[in-house]
Structure formats: structure tokens, C-alpha cells
Amino acid sequence: MAVLTLALKTLRHRKAAFAGAFVTLLCAAALVTACGMLLETGLRGRVAPERYAGAPVLVAGDQYVHRTIHKSSGKTKHKAKPIAERAWIPASLTQRLRRTPGVREVVAEVTFPVGTKNGQAQGHGWDSAALTPFTLAVGRAPKAADEVVVDAGSGARVGTRFDVLTPVGPAAYRVAGVTRQALPSQDTLFFAPAEARRLAGRPGRVSAIGVFPTPGGRPDVAAALRGTGALQYTGDDRGAVEFLDAEQARVKLVSLGGALGGTSLLVAILVVAGTFALSIQQRQREIALLRAVAATPKQMRRLLGGEALVTAVVAGLAGSAAGIGLGFWLRSRFVALGAVPEHLRLVVSPFPAFAALLATVLAAWVAARISSRRAARVRPVEALGEAALPTARLPWPRLVAGLLATAAGVVLTLVLSTLSTEAASSPVTMLTALVWTVAVSLLGPLLARAAVALLALPLRASRVGGYLAAANLRVASRRLASVITPLCLLVAMACTILFVQTTMGHAAQREIAAGSRADYVLGPRVPGSAARSLREQPGVEAVTEVLHTSVRVGLTKYGAQAVTVEGLTRTTDLGVVAGSLRDLGTHSMAVSENAAGRLGVSVGDTVRLTLGDGTPATLNVAALYTRGLGYGDLTLSHALVAPHVDNPMGTLYVAAPRLTRAELSALVRAVPSATVMDRAEAVTASAPDAEVNYVAMGLIIAFTAIAVINTLGMSTSDRSRELALLRLVGTTRRQVLRVLRLEAFAALAVATVLGTGIALVTLTAFATGMTGSPTPYIPPLTYLGVLAPTAALALAATALPARLALRRHPAEVIGARQ
């Protein structure tokens, strides 16, 4: 208790010294809380049903692929992974459910995408209106094939013409009725039941079945479904079936929140350790005096640990509260970018805040104990000597730890160069950069002394300011190392995050540019009828229909494209190295060399996979190709995939060298969603959207930038006595500021070289594994965009505290520090 009281008094009289540690811990707690909220939303988030709100029990397909893994120990483990498309079920289940005791009514429905002038809508048969339930406000139910009922939000009136784009092509319907209701997050159209089933294109299958029990009845729906592959859903589980994008977003949030939270915590530990190390380094005179008046090493460790705990608890509580707001902001950005649907609400509970507080306190305590270990053990006479002139010797435990971190960085770099999937390489990439930064941090004083030796000559050429800057850097290499670490981390993290995306995007675009043979690309949602019509037009040599989906081989997910084979070589060159695309059909597929290596297959081998809607398929490998980054790991037949995707309207690659863009646009004017692009525009538009990653990882960059400001501000503020002495011996304010600027430029130069080197090593390994080329793509302007703000932060964080210190009279400063 006495030590804690002393710690509180120390904090009260050294507010400025602990401000940097407080801000760092507060930001760390906020970041970890926000990441924890994303992770918890991915694990426990629920979506309330809208379309199926009126059905107490819903029967639908299983949206997961299941595998039972038998371990060598004799135990078995069940794993499940989500599929990409909606799993449809046999329509014959309606009769089985009707015969189930306790069931009053059974309502089956089909769901399919429809394009309208207001955007995307969902089409259904009027016989399934009771699932919401929808009722008519005006008009009547659709009876003829050319009639439609629209919802209350459409703005249409009974008797008017209503143009839509359906999976079978554009069509005009007459509005027969308008519903009294409209769903919050989806526009709804109702067609005549037979017409709806024709448009859905799934004969004999339905997307869901609503079950209505008799009053007081409890039908055993699960027993009726046994052996069919269909499942029953109640409560909010109905929303998961209705909004498949929400379920897919939950999976993304689990991986994103976990990766971002883990990276944030590692960065926080590194930054907090550096901040406490600098704080203790600045207090060596105070620690020396305490040791000289008989304070034991144990008491010193408890004192410093107590200060860290008090600071961490206060900062952790404030940061956890701020993190809740940050979590809501992150969700709003992800919703705006389309990564998270609006109806997936953020889960708010005390667990992320509590975990962030615990992690912050633990990180601060460990950082303080490690940083104070040597200061507490040094003997009193040595402590007073070191306070006057810090030693340049690096403690052997720190040297050993630095060498181990370097070895770990080498191992991770070698591992990263062998990873060829984004799911495996992404977390290892960030970990590799962090481990290399830890090695730089531990070996910082040695690297700083070597850097000062190299910078001494150019600095001394700058007369008085350069001479003083060189002398200061040579004497205070440990202080320079403390400043270099956050700057190095900022450059390394920013370059790694940015250029991982540019490397992948550039490699994919390069392959698409090399493989593109089409003169025009039409998309993004064009029905197959438009493709058939174009093939018959004069001047059109070939039309390739392309759909994008994902399949699973076992539990592993692979990106896939589905193409029509006729005329494929005229529009696309996949870089076939074995086999032939002419053999591509409903029982075969083409595989990229990368995927073939992971699957261990070659031409003629058989692969068992699960299509996007959960349908199993066994396909022969007809060809191997090289351009998997640009065109997907697997290439399947359009005829095979189209019946198993939610939206069969895709992209058209058109070979029509004799037609102008205007002429081609006129040929597809009946399809409002068909945007015509030339080859160059199509290649540019194929760049992957990495904004979600930039928003998420940008928080870590912002946190690191705050650490840079804290560290440089603490370092400069602690030198007020030194600056006052320089003023007393005749150095002008301009010369003092020039010395500090030169020191800041020197630290920035060293940190830039080290940070860029870490990023280059990491990116080279990443590019080797993911693209097959060891050369990452680093746009020069983007790189300068990283360095310029970093330099501005470094100079501002150095100049502002220095100007404040220089406003006071030198004698006043020296008297206050005695």
C-alpha cells in the first residue's frame, strides 16, 4: 500500500512525463475494444427476419459444407464452412410437411433477383405473400403471366407499365396491385406463381418453405425433414436464411476482427514497451537517487509497476469507453463500403471493453517490469554515474532477445515466401513485419550508433548546428533508438499494408491485361438472352458469358469463374500450359497452376467439389493455366454453374472489332444494366477493392502515428534543461531549433531506411508466395505519400515542444529542474 501511495504521488508530480504513456494506452484500449466488438458481432451477431417474419417455422437448405475429421488419437472433429450461394430444397417437401401432425398450413416460395429503375429487388410468387405477410392496399393479385404486384415503396400505380430485368431477360409487366407493406431493406415484387417459377429457373425446387402450426400445435418438423438435407429455422435464425450476405459478413468480421485485434495488441505491446522504456530512461537520475537512499531493487520494481498499473487502469477505462464509439464508426464505414449489410447490427456487450482493459493493464505492467529490470538492479553508485552519462553498452539479455527476434523474422520470412493463399499469408505478413520491427527495437542502440557514425560526416559539414547534432546523437544513442522505433514501425506498417494490396492488384491486372482478347466488356448484370441475341448480330465474332462464384474442395474455398466455351479463345487467353479448354464441359474444369499445386492434381485427374449452392460435383481436370490471379483458381462451364448461383446474370466478353462502342451499346439498349467498356477500361475496372482493408488497418497506422508524436514529444520535452544550457552558453534560439531539426531528420532517415527495409523484405516474401515473382509493386507517389506525413509528424512533434521550452528563460528552467 505504501508503494502504491508513493506511485500516486509520483504520478501527480510528473503528469507530463506520464502523458505520453497514458495517451498510448488509451488508444490501445480503444482499438482493442473496437476490434473486439467486430469479432463479437461476427460470432454472436443476429439479423431479425423481414421477409420471413410471418412464418413461425422456416424450412430451408443447409448453408454449410460439413466434414468430419478423424484424428490419429481416435477422436473425431466436426467442421463446417459456409457456401457462397443459396441452397435450394426439393418442392416435394411441401407435401411431406403438410402431412406432419400439428401443421395447419405450408407455404413454399422461390426467390430470384430482379432489376428495376430503383435498383435491385427480390422477386417472388404471390402465393408466398403470406410469409411476411403482405396484403393488398389496392388492386388484385397477379393472375396472368404479364402481371405483377409491387410493394408500397415502389411508387407505381395500378394499371401502369413496369419494366424489369429478370434472369431470363428484360420484360414489361402491368401493375395489377400494390401492397400495403414495404420491407425496410429490400424492394419486393410479386409475380403470378407459374411465372415466378419460370423466372427463378429452378424447376422442382424452392428457396424456402414456411410452416404454420395449428393453434397450440407443436409439429415435429425436424423428424419430417430427417434424411432430406433441409433444416428448420426459428427466431432470428430465419433472418440468417433470408439475408445470406449477413451470414457471409459475419464470417468476414470474425477473421477481420481477430486479425485486426491481434495485430493491434502486438503493436500496442511494442509501442507501450517503448514508451515506458523512454519514460524510465528519462528518470534515471530520480531512480539513482532513490537507490542511493537505500531503495531496494524489489521496491523500485514495485514502484514502477504500480505507476504503470495506475496509468493503465485509468487509460484503459477511458479507452474502452472511447472504443465503443470507435466500433460504431467502424461498422458505419463497413456498411458504407458494402462489406457489412445495414441489417447486421453491432453487438454491444461488456466483454470487449473488459478484455481491452485487461490487455492494456497486462501490457503496461509487463512493459514496465521489463523496462525497469536493469534500472532497478543497478547499484547506487553506478546508477548515479549512468544518470550523469548513460552507458553505451547494450545489456546481454536485450542483445540475446534481439538476435532471437531476428532469427524469428528470418523464419517467418521464409515461411511467408511459401504461402500462396491470401487467407494464410495475410496474418503471417503482418506478423513478419512486426517481428522484424521488434528486432530493430531490441537492437536499436547498436543500429543507432552505426547510423550516427555514418551520418556524422554530413552533419558536421553543417557548421554549428550539424556539429552539435552529431555530438548529441553520438552521446545519446539510446534516446535516438527510442525515437527510431515508433518511426520505423510507422513506415514499415504503412508500407506493408498499402503495398500488399497494390502488389496483388497489379499482379491480377497484369494477368487480365495479358489474357484479355475481347474488344468490349458488358456488365455487370447481363442476362443470357442478351448474349444469345448478340451472337446473331453482324460484326460480332464471339460472346463469352462469365459468372463469378466460389466453390469448396473439401472445406477449402476457391474462387471460380464460369464461362461459355464457344469462342472463348477469341475473347480470353488463360495461358493454358496443359490440356485444352475445348474439353471444358459440365463434367470437367480447368485449374490454375497454383490451385493445381495445392490440390495435387494434373490433367486427367478427378476433383470432388461443392458448388456455390451446396450441390456436390465430380469433375475431370481438362486443362491447366497460368493466369489464376486474374481469372480465378478454377474455370468451370457456364452451363454447369448458372443453375447453382443466386444471380445468373453476369458479364459478357465481346469480340467485335468492326463495331464501335456506340453501335454495340445500341444492340443492348434493352438491357439497362449493360455498361459497355473497352478493353483498357475493363482492365482498369478489374482492380480489387481494398478500401475495407485500408479502413481497418489504417487505424493501426493512426495508432502508430500517435505513438510517434508521443515519443518525440516526450523526448524533446525532457531536454528542456539541455536546451537551456545551450542558450546560456550563447547558442541562439534559431541554432537550437536547427540542431533539433537536424536530429529529427537524422532519426527520420534511419527509421525510413529500416522501415522500408522491413517492408521490402516482407513484401518480397509475400510477392514470391502469392504471385510467383519476388518483385512487389510499389507506386512511387504512394511511397512518397507515406514518407511525407511521417516527416511532417516527426518535425512537428519535435518543434512544438522545443518552442514551448525555449519560451522560458534558461535560468528559470535550470532552477526548476534542480
Side-chain angles (χ1 to χ4, degrees), residues 87-166:
W88 287 51
I89 56 178
S92 59
L93 286 178
T94 57
Q95 299 302 323
R96 178 183 294 195
L97 290 169
R98 282 195 181 100
R99 294 192 298 267
T100 302
V103 172
R104 173 176 59 87
E105 185 182 2
V106 174
V107 177
E109 79 147 357
V110 294
T111 300
F112 53 92
V114 179
T116 71
K117 64 178 181 180
N118 297 327
Q120 285 294 106
Q122 294 295 318
H124 311 279
W126 178 250
D127 54 342
S128 64
L131 293 175
T132 304
F134 275 98
T135 57
L136 286 171
V138 292
R140 58 173 176 80
K143 297 179 180 179
D146 63 345
E147 293 180 337
V148 67
V149 168
V150 299
D151 65 24
S154 66
R157 293 177 298 176
V158 173
T160 59
R161 172 190 171 104
F162 200 82
D163 294 321
V164 299
L165 180 64
T166 71

Side-chain angles (χ1 to χ4, degrees), residues 20-21 23-32 35 258-276 359-360 363-364 367 426-427 429-438 441 482 485-497 696-708 710-711 758:
V23 172
T24 301
L25 289 169
L26 184 148
C27 294
L31 199 53
V32 173
C35 296
L260 183 59
T263 304
S264 303
L265 192 56
L266 290 174
V267 171
I269 291 172
L270 180 60
V271 169
V272 169
T275 303
F276 273 100
T360 302
S426 293
T429 301
M430 303 311 302
L431 182 61
T432 302
L434 280 173
V435 169
W436 278 115
T437 307
V438 170
S441 175
S482 299
T485 297
L487 283 169
C488 174
L489 179 62
L490 177 58
V491 174
M493 293 296 290
C495 288
T496 302
I497 291 168
M697 303 307 290
L699 291 176
I700 296 178
I701 296 176
F703 172 51
T704 311
I706 292 172
V708 168
N710 281 339
T711 303
I758 290 172

Side-chain angles (χ1 to χ4, degrees), residues 138-503:
V138 292
R140 58 173 176 80
K143 297 179 180 179
D146 63 345
E147 293 180 337
V148 67
V149 168
V150 299
D151 65 24
S154 66
R157 293 177 298 176
V158 173
T160 59
R161 172 190 171 104
F162 200 82
D163 294 321
V164 299
L165 180 64
T166 71
V168 300
Y173 291 83
R174 188 179 66 84
V175 177
V178 179
T179 67
R180 186 171 284 105
Q181 301 81 11
L183 299 178
S185 61
Q186 53 186 308
D187 295 334
T188 309
L189 297 179
F190 291 102
F191 299 83
E195 176 70 359
R197 282 159 177 73
R198 183 184 74 86
L199 296 177
R202 301 284 187 99
R205 304 189 76 80
V206 294
S207 54
I209 302 173
V211 179
F212 296 83
T214 58
R218 292 190 175 183
D220 192 352
V221 176
L225 299 176
R226 193 169 293 122
T228 65
L231 301 174
Q232 69 166 336
Y233 300 88
T234 58
D236 284 348
D237 288 340
R238 296 170 298 166
V241 176
E242 180 177 353
F243 299 107
L244 297 182
D245 57 343
E247 285 301 289
Q248 293 165 3
R250 284 182 54 198
V251 175
K252 292 179 182 178
L253 285 178
V254 170
S255 59
L256 181 63
L260 183 59
T263 304
S264 303
L265 192 56
L266 290 174
V267 171
I269 291 172
L270 180 60
V271 169
V272 169
T275 303
F276 273 100
L278 179 60
S279 175
I280 291 173
Q281 179 184 330
Q282 293 173 348
R283 298 174 60 191
Q284 282 193 349
R285 182 182 297 275
E286 174 188 329
I287 294 172
L289 290 174
L290 288 172
R291 291 286 289 118
V293 296
T296 65
K298 183 177 180 180
Q299 289 173 326
M300 292 306 306
R301 287 194 297 270
R302 291 180 62 186
L303 171 64
L304 297 173
E307 293 172 352
L309 286 177
V310 172
T311 306
V313 169
V314 178
L317 290 172
S320 298
I324 295 175
L326 182 60
F328 277 98
W329 179 84
L330 266 179
R331 178 194 172 274
S332 68
R333 292 305 309 148
F334 290 161
V335 169
L337 294 171
V340 173
E342 175 65 32
H343 37 266
L344 179 59
R345 301 298 178 184
L346 197 67
V347 174
V348 181
S349 76
F351 298 112
F354 178 76
L357 176 61
L358 183 63
T360 302
V361 170
L362 184 62
W365 185 80
V366 171
R369 295 284 289 189
I370 293 175
S371 302
S372 63
R373 182 176 178 274
R374 184 172 183 275
R377 291 180 60 185
V378 70
R379 287 177 291 185
V381 176
E382 293 176 351
L384 288 170
E386 286 197 15
L389 185 64
T391 180
R393 182 169 56 86
L394 191 67
W396 71 265
R398 182 170 178 174
L399 177 62
V400 171
L403 294 176
L404 290 176
T406 302
V410 172
V411 172
L412 284 172
T413 302
L414 294 175
V415 171
L416 181 60
S417 65
T418 65
L419 301 178
S420 58
T421 63
E422 192 170 357
S425 65
S426 293
V428 178
T429 301
M430 303 311 302
L431 182 61
T432 302
L434 280 173
V435 169
W436 278 115
T437 307
V438 170
V440 168
S441 175
L442 292 170
L443 301 176
L446 294 179
L447 297 173
R449 285 199 295 272
V452 169
L454 293 175
L455 294 172
L457 290 177
L459 284 175
R460 287 171 181 167
S462 183
R463 296 190 296 179
V464 176
Y467 180 84
L468 289 175
N472 286 339
L473 293 173
R474 184 177 65 254
V475 173
S477 60
R478 292 182 66 183
R479 183 176 64 203
L480 176 62
S482 299
V483 171
I484 286 174
T485 297
L487 283 169
C488 174
L489 179 62
L490 177 58
V491 174
M493 293 296 290
C495 288
T496 302
I497 291 168
L498 290 173
F499 300 137
V500 158
Q501 305 297 332
T502 60
T503 297

